[in-house]
Each structure stands twice: as structure tokens, then as C-alpha cells.
């Protein structure tokens, strides 16, 4: 089984599900963080120290250590990045568009896990050059993310289905 393809980063498939970060964070990742989808519930990877837990919906959790990871294969723009083991079995999958994926890439680099065809500009904060960064404007940009509770998501989904059924009924009435 071959997991590695070079075409993933070099053919301009950048604006889709597996959008890789341009650069990695300048701070070290925390001891505990989770990589999860921004918009839909489902699978997530929880990092606790050197232990990873891949939680998937309707499937058994998979837990493994950083020592079990042989490498990371960066997937195409419409696919996933794959953490694979010594005998090339899939340990976990995650997309570059998932929340905290940049922390996951940085964490993997710091644990010296090889990332196949990683961009040259990715490096760990410890590897950063001592050059000072240019001064930014005094007005800091703030990023806000709207997160809906599960009950709100279910409510909006129900309203959407209700409106769809009304639309179909009106359409069939006119036909």
C-alpha cells in the first residue's frame, strides 16, 4: 500500500478541505489540545502529552503513542493527512482545515515525526532564527468564531427540513 504522493502540494489544490497552513504558530503547543472539525461533529484527535487518541463517531477509539508514528503523509486538497505506523497502517487521519491542525503539525515537528513533502517554511519555534519580526500596527486583529450548541444546530436543521418540505409541497401543488 502506497500512502505517499508528491502531487498533493505542487498542483495548486490549495482551496479545499485539506487547506494546509502557510506557516506554523510561533508559540509551542500546549500539553493538551484537540484537533477537530470547525463546522461538523465527528472525528477528532486528542493530544495529551505524548499520547494521541483518535475519536471517531460510531467507531471504537484508537489510542497510540508518538513512538508508534512512523510519519505523516500530506494528502491532496480534497483528502486527509494520514498519520501512519511502522508497517504503514493508518493510525489517524485529519484535515488541514480542522481547528488546531496547525498546532498538530507543529507538535509533530517538535516530536521529530517526519512529514512527507512538508513545506520548507514550516519550522518549530525552537528552530526559528533570532531575527526580530517586523513591528505590527498597534491595533491587534481579533478573530471571532461563532460556535452553536448542539441543540441550536438541531433546531436550525429542523427548521431547514420544515422549510424544504413546505417548498416541495407548494411545488407539487402547482404541478
Amino acid at each position: 500500500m502506497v500512502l505517499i504522493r508528491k502531487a498533493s502540494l505542487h498542483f495548486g489544490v490549495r482551496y479545499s478541505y485539506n487547506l494546509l497552513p502557510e506557516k506554523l504558530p510561533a508559540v509551542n503547543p500546549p500539553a493538551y489540545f484537540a484537533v477537530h472539525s470547525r463546522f461538523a461533529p465527528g472525528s477528532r484527535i486528542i493530544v495529551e502529552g505524548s499520547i494521541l487518541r483518535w475519536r471517531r463517531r460510531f467507531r471504537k477509539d484508537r489510542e497510540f503513542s508518538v513512538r508508534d508514528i512512523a510519519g505523516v503523509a500530506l494528502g491532496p486538497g480534497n483528502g486527509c493527512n494520514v498519520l501512519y505506523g511502522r508497517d504503514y497502517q493508518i493510525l489517524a487521519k485529519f484535515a488541514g482545515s480542522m481547528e488546531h491542525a496547525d498546532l498538530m503539525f507543529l507538535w509533530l515537528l517538535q516530536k521529530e515525526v517526519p512529514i512527507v513533502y512538508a513545506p520548507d517554511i514550516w519550522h518549530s519555534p525552537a528552530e526559528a532564527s533570532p531575527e526580530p519580526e517586523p513591528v505590527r500596527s498597534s491595533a491587534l486583529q481579533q478573530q471571532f468564531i461563532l460556535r452553536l450548541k448542539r441543540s441550536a444546530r438541531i433546531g436550525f436543521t429542523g427548521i431547514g427540513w420544515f422549510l424544504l418540505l413546505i417548498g416541495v409541497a407548494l411545488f407539487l401543488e402547482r404541478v
Side-chain angles (χ1 to χ4, degrees):
M1 168 195 292
V2 176
L3 295 173
I4 304 166
R5 283 194 260 173
K6 188 171 181 168
S8 62
L9 290 175
H10 302 290
F11 286 96
V13 195
R14 300 279 304 168
Y15 299 107
S16 54
Y17 177 70
N18 195 16
L19 179 63
L20 298 174
E22 291 294 323
K23 63 180 186 174
L24 298 179
V27 296
N28 289 325
Y32 175 87
F33 65 94
V35 180
H36 54 88
S37 176
R38 296 176 191 267
F39 305 110
S43 72
R44 64 179 177 255
I45 299 174
I46 301 169
V47 177
E48 298 175 87
S50 64
I51 302 295
L52 287 91
R53 184 178 310 123
W54 187 23
R55 301 190 84 182
R56 298 174 288 174
R57 184 178 257 187
F58 306 122
R59 292 192 179 168
K60 186 178 176 184
D61 291 357
R62 183 178 290 171
E63 189 171 309
F64 52 94
S65 170
V66 70
R67 293 184 310 268
D68 300 330
I69 303 172
V72 180
L74 298 179
N78 60 353
C80 288
N81 306 309
V82 177
L83 298 173
Y84 59 90
R86 302 276 177 233
D87 55 353
Y88 297 102
Q89 84 279 10
I90 296 174
L91 298 176
K93 295 179 184 179
F94 69 100
S97 63
M98 295 176 106
E99 192 162 357
H100 305 302
D102 54 349
L103 287 175
M104 181 66 149
F105 286 123
L106 179 61
W107 183 84
L108 290 165
L109 283 174
Q110 288 181 346
K111 300 295 183 184
E112 297 178 357
V113 174
I115 300 176
V116 180
Y117 302 116
D120 294 334
I121 59 174
W122 284 7
H123 54 66
S124 173
E127 300 171 2
S129 61
E131 300 172 8
E133 289 192 23
V135 177
R136 297 183 182 178
S137 66
S138 61
L140 297 175
Q141 280 187 340
Q142 292 185 1
Q143 181 180 14
F144 296 97
I145 298 173
L146 175 65
R147 296 179 192 219
L148 297 175
K149 291 182 180 178
R150 185 173 190 266
S151 59
R153 289 193 313 256
I154 291 171
F156 282 121
T157 303
I159 290 170
W161 279 107
F162 177 73
L163 293 174
L164 179 68
L165 290 174
I166 288 176
V168 169
L170 290 174
F171 176 75
L172 291 176
E173 183 179 282
R174 293 196 181 259
V175 173

